[in-house]
Amino acid sequence: MWSTLVSFVAAFCLLWANVFFDRFGIKNTESRLICVSEFIQYLSFGFNTQISDSLWVRFLQELDAYNESGIATPHLCPDRTSSWHFHIINAAMNMDHKFYEISVMAPLLISITIGDTEGASVLFDKAVTNFPNDWKVLYRASYQAQIEEKNKSKAADLLYRAGKNGAPNWVMSLAGGLFNDTGNREMAEQIYKELLTEEKNVDVAN
């Protein structure tokens, strides 16, 4: 009986509070995103994979994009230079190094959709470390290196590694062009020789 009475009083109080806040406009306050600290990995108590999954799901819930040239104000962390999205994915990647979907998708989303290019570069580097032989990760990281970091040498190396790990042949051609642009003619010529040799081998096989 007492439990029923307490439940009834609690429900009444919640209903009254909702009506009161709605009437005076108190509920229309701006919600804040709390930036996750990387130290969360030391408080996981062995549930790294589960927490990483939860952070990934939470990240996806906040992708109703602010398509601006930089990080939108609601997504800025207290340091005013990094995004909430970067910190939550950085923590998730630290706790589960082999979470493939995060490594292949999240850095690019943070770079293009959220506008946190510096944070995305950090995440791309981690993704390449976690999946050094995955051509999709390498290819996307090369985009970040060339377009956002303006580092053609890094981009060329990533494209070459992508080509060596299953990417389409035109990726190797792009790598050769970038090596040539950076003045590394020796590497560019090596790539074109490899492409010619591969083309001849295909012709012989046919």
Side-chain angles (χ1 to χ4, degrees):
M1 177 180 177
W2 282 107
S3 60
T4 303
L5 180 61
V6 170
S7 299
F8 176 78
V9 172
F12 176 79
C13 290
L14 287 173
L15 178 62
W16 179 84
N18 185 61
V19 172
F20 176 80
F21 290 152
D22 185 43
R23 188 176 216 177
F24 291 96
I26 298 176
K27 76 173 186 178
N28 294 324
T29 56
E30 182 181 355
S31 60
R32 292 190 59 211
L33 295 171
I34 299 175
C35 292
V36 178
S37 170
E38 62 182 12
F39 293 107
I40 192 176
Q41 62 184 305
Y42 303 115
L43 302 172
S44 63
F45 303 104
F47 293 98
N48 290 31
T49 301
Q50 292 83 352
I51 294 176
S52 184
D53 287 345
S54 299
L55 294 176
W56 173 239
V57 172
R58 184 68 188 92
F59 167 82
L60 293 175
Q61 293 172 338
E62 291 294 335
L63 279 180
D64 45 346
Y66 289 82
N67 290 320
E68 299 180 359
S69 57
I71 306 169
T73 301
H75 290 160
L76 276 172
C77 284
D79 60 14
R80 310 302 294 175
T81 60
S82 59
S83 67
W84 173 88
H85 299 79
F86 161 71
H87 285 282
I88 199 169
I89 291 300
N90 189 47
M93 292 179 77
N94 287 341
M95 285 191 287
D96 190 352
H97 302 297
K98 297 306 176 184
F99 197 146
Y100 179 71
E101 287 75 12
I102 286 182
S103 289
V104 77
M105 296 179 185
L108 191 65
L109 288 170
I110 290 173
S111 178
I112 296 176
T113 305
I114 305 304
D116 187 353
T117 55
E118 291 185 11
S121 292
V122 173
L123 298 177
F124 270 118
D125 289 343
K126 287 188 176 184
V128 170
T129 299
N130 294 341
F131 297 94
N133 300 316
D134 186 274
W135 76 264
K136 293 180 181 178
V137 171
L138 294 166
Y139 178 75
R140 295 181 184 200
S142 72
Y143 156 83
Q144 183 72 11
Q146 182 179 0
I147 304 300
E148 303 297 347
E149 300 174 22
K150 311 301 182 185
N151 189 337
K152 287 187 176 182
S153 296
K154 181 180 178 180
D157 179 66
L158 289 166
L159 283 173
Y160 180 70
R161 290 170 59 185
K164 285 293 189 179
N165 285 280
N169 285 341
W170 53 264
V171 171
M172 288 289 279
S173 181
L174 287 178
L178 279 179
F179 276 121
N180 187 58
D181 290 345
T182 60
N184 193 342
R185 296 292 300 274
E186 182 179 348
M187 192 64 187
E189 290 175 3
Q190 177 185 325
I191 289 174
Y192 289 130
K193 287 178 182 177
E194 291 178 8
L195 289 173
L196 287 172
T197 300
E198 184 176 337
E199 187 67 27
K200 289 177 181 178
N201 291 338
V202 171
D203 291 339
V204 170
N206 292 332

